[in-house]
């Protein structure tokens, strides 16, 4: 199934995990620590309230963000950081209800856009993010293609009725952690390149 179809069929738990995973992978563009969203993952696994952990994450990421007017990802227009910030700002107060599906869908689009913005490979052809999510994947750049695969994989894991919920969440977190490491490496390379460029001015 395409990513759009998987999101349409996902239950609230799957949607919450999908949206959280997208945000988790994009934490590096906001300067956040790798374990920053772990309490939210724990709340989702335990079925507890994530209002407290969400407030803490927003406070921490707010403090970690670049000063006003400066891009969080050096050398970029700041668009990637702005997308990640909107994902965080839009996290619903509870991971149940109609708002979760809208948030998860928005996070899917935003995360793909973040990866497209930061991909150093030649353009993504004529394919829009919408086309990619619908299954038209010809000409995708490596970073965008990998992010699409991770989104699909996480939704598939959470849709597996034969898997234990906590086990599926753990696997989803592992998939997201791998993606976050990749994006952090990309952000670091861009930062080094930006610094070297300034040194040559």
């Amino acid at each position: 199934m395409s990513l759009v179809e998987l999101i349409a069929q996902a239950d609230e738990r799957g949607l919450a995990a999908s949206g959280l995973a997208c945000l988790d992978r994009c934490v590096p563009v906001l300067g956040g620590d790798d374990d920053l969203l772990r309490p939210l993952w724990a709340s989702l696994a335990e079925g507890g309230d994530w209002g407290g952990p969400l407030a803490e994450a927003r406070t921490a990421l707010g403090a970690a963000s670049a000063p006003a007017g400066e891009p969080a990802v050096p050398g970029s227009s700041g668009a990637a950081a702005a997308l990640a910030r909107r994902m965080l700002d839009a996290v619903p107060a509870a991971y149940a209800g109609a708002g979760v599906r809208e948030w998860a869908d928005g996070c899917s689009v935003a995360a793909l856009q973040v990866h497209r913005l930061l991909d150093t490979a030649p353009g993504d052809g004529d394919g829009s993010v919408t086309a990619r999510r619908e299954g038209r994947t010809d000409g995708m750049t490596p970073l965008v293609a990998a992010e699409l695969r991770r989104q699909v994989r996480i939704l598939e894991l959470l849709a597996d009725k034969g898997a234990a919920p906590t086990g599926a969440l753990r696997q989803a977190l592992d998939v997201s952690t791998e993606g976050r490491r990749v994006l952090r490496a990309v952000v670091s390379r861009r930062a080094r390149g930006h610094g070297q460029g300034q040194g040559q001015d």
Side-chain angles (χ1 to χ4, degrees):
M1 287 190 289
S2 70
L3 180 56
V4 169
E5 291 170 328
L6 286 167
I7 290 175
Q9 294 185 19
D11 60 16
E12 290 177 342
R13 189 186 188 90
L15 291 167
S18 174
L20 181 57
C22 287
L23 176 58
D24 199 4
R25 288 191 296 280
C26 293
V27 160
V29 304
L30 293 175
D33 294 335
D34 285 344
D35 292 333
L36 189 68
L37 299 184
R38 282 284 183 141
L40 283 169
W41 282 101
S43 294
L44 186 58
E46 296 164 3
D49 175 47
W50 73 2
L54 175 58
E56 292 174 4
R58 283 174 170 158
T59 299
L61 285 175
S65 295
E70 296 183 14
V73 184
S76 78
S77 64
L83 284 165
R85 170 61 56 185
R86 285 200 291 271
M87 291 164 65
L88 177 64
D89 291 343
V91 177
Y95 48 81
V100 175
R101 187 173 302 278
E102 181 180 354
W103 174 66
D105 193 61
C107 285
S108 168
V109 172
L112 286 166
Q113 290 175 331
V114 165
H115 285 73
R116 173 178 277 184
L117 285 166
L118 299 181
D119 203 333
T120 56
D124 192 22
D126 296 325
S128 66
V129 167
T130 298
R132 300 320 188 191
R133 284 168 22 101
E134 291 175 347
R136 298 191 293 277
T137 58
D138 291 344
M140 294 179 71
T141 53
L143 200 63
V144 177
E147 169 60 14
L148 181 65
R149 286 195 300 270
R150 290 187 185 100
Q151 290 193 26
V152 168
R153 179 58 180 153
I154 285 171
L155 285 162
E156 287 175 342
L157 286 169
L158 272 298
D160 184 358
K161 302 304 181 184
T166 54
L169 276 173
R170 192 177 304 111
Q171 292 180 69
L173 176 58
D174 289 343
V175 171
S176 191
T177 297
E178 177 193 0
R180 188 179 63 244
R181 288 173 181 159
V182 170
L183 198 64
R184 189 172 294 284
V186 171
V187 170
S188 295
R189 284 196 298 270
R190 289 175 68 92
R192 288 196 298 271
H194 181 67
Q196 291 170 357
Q198 285 188 330
Q200 294 169 359
D201 289 343

